[in-house]
């Protein structure tokens, strides 16, 4: 710690530190897959809670976010920011502000990973349609109030994102993916 006029002094580390990830987190494609796995765990439960708790206004926000993704991709853009907004809207629909805080911490890393995955997905129309269909399934389950279906749809979306990277030849199947197929 620096004190003006007194010098620089060593201090004990703070008792509580903010959650942080290594900035080198996404320097490899393996790290992209790790982020997909992390998001799968978190976002599966977020979707389930959103299905139980979403208000009509939050459902309208989810629909707007989904329409924004479609508009961006129809305009030839990757739609990364719009996709992040959709997942933030799911976090908001849980009614638990801690999910939004966690997503805020993860977002810069998720943005980088999503840019990689969406870059490859955008090269194939069938992949883009799969992603759209997966997002619609998540929203439909949340709107129906079906937590189990929402969780399944969100988890499936992240599993399929990893599969699309494998199909594109970007990554090799993980051990977990090989046991699932």
């Amino acid at each position: 710690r620096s004190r003006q006029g007194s010098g620089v002094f060593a201090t004990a580390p703070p008792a509580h530190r903010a959650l942080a990830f290594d900035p080198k987190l996404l320097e490899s494609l393996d790290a992209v897959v790790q982020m997909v796995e992390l998001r799968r765990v978190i976002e599966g439960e977020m979707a389930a809670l959103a299905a139980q708790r979403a208000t009509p206004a939050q459902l309208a926000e989810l629909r707007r976010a989904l329409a924004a993704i479609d508009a961006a991709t129809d305009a030839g853009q990757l739609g990364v920011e719009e996709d992040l907004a959709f997942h933030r809207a799911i976090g908001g629909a849980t009614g638990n502000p801690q999910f939004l805080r966690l997503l805020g911490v993860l977002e810069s890393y998720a943005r980088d990973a999503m840019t990689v995955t969406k870059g490859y997905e955008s090269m194939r129309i069938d992949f883009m349609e799969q992603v759209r269909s997966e997002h619609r399934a998540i929203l439909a389950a949340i709107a129906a109030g079906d937590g189990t279906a929402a969780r399944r749809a969100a988890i499936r979306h992240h599993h399929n994102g990893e599969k699309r990277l494998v199909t594109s030849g970007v990554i090799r199947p993980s051990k977990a993916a090989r046991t699932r197929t």
Side-chain angles (χ1 to χ4, degrees):
R1 178 174 287 175
S2 175
R3 283 195 227 148
Q4 188 173 6
S6 299
V8 178
F9 302 89
T11 61
H16 303 292
R17 290 186 285 175
L19 176 64
F21 288 90
D22 183 343
K24 297 177 185 175
L25 180 67
L26 293 176
E27 287 185 354
S28 72
L29 290 172
D30 285 341
V32 170
V33 173
Q34 292 165 357
M35 182 55 69
V36 170
E37 289 176 349
L38 177 64
R39 289 184 61 213
R40 180 176 63 230
V41 170
I42 293 167
E43 294 187 29
E45 198 56 33
M46 277 183 4
L49 290 172
Q52 297 166 4
R53 302 173 179 171
T55 66
Q58 290 165 329
L59 290 171
E61 182 180 350
L62 282 164
R63 288 184 184 97
R64 282 190 301 275
L66 191 56
I69 295 170
D70 289 344
T73 55
D74 288 346
Q77 301 165 356
L78 293 180
V80 171
E81 295 305 319
E82 294 80 2
D83 201 318
L84 288 168
F86 176 71
H87 291 277
R88 264 195 315 275
I90 294 170
T94 68
N96 182 338
Q98 302 309 323
F99 281 112
L100 289 175
R101 287 184 179 100
L102 179 59
L103 289 175
V105 170
L106 294 176
E107 197 161 280
S108 64
Y109 305 101
R111 179 179 289 106
D112 291 344
M114 195 179 286
T115 299
V116 171
T117 58
K118 284 189 155 297
Y120 283 97
E121 290 167 350
S122 71
M123 293 182 202
R124 291 187 45 176
I125 292 172
D126 60 327
F127 283 181
M128 291 173 62
E129 285 305 314
Q130 287 171 6
V131 173
R132 283 182 175 190
S133 176
E134 291 162 11
H135 282 148
R136 285 191 295 265
I138 294 168
L139 176 55
I142 291 171
D146 188 339
T148 301
R151 180 184 297 110
R152 261 195 317 262
I155 289 170
R156 186 178 316 111
H157 173 53
H158 290 289
H159 277 303
N160 289 346
E162 185 177 344
K163 285 181 184 178
R164 285 186 284 272
L165 288 174
V166 170
T167 301
S168 297
V170 178
I171 61 170
R172 290 179 311 199
S174 67
K175 288 180 185 174
R178 286 191 299 264
T179 60
R180 283 193 302 269
T181 56

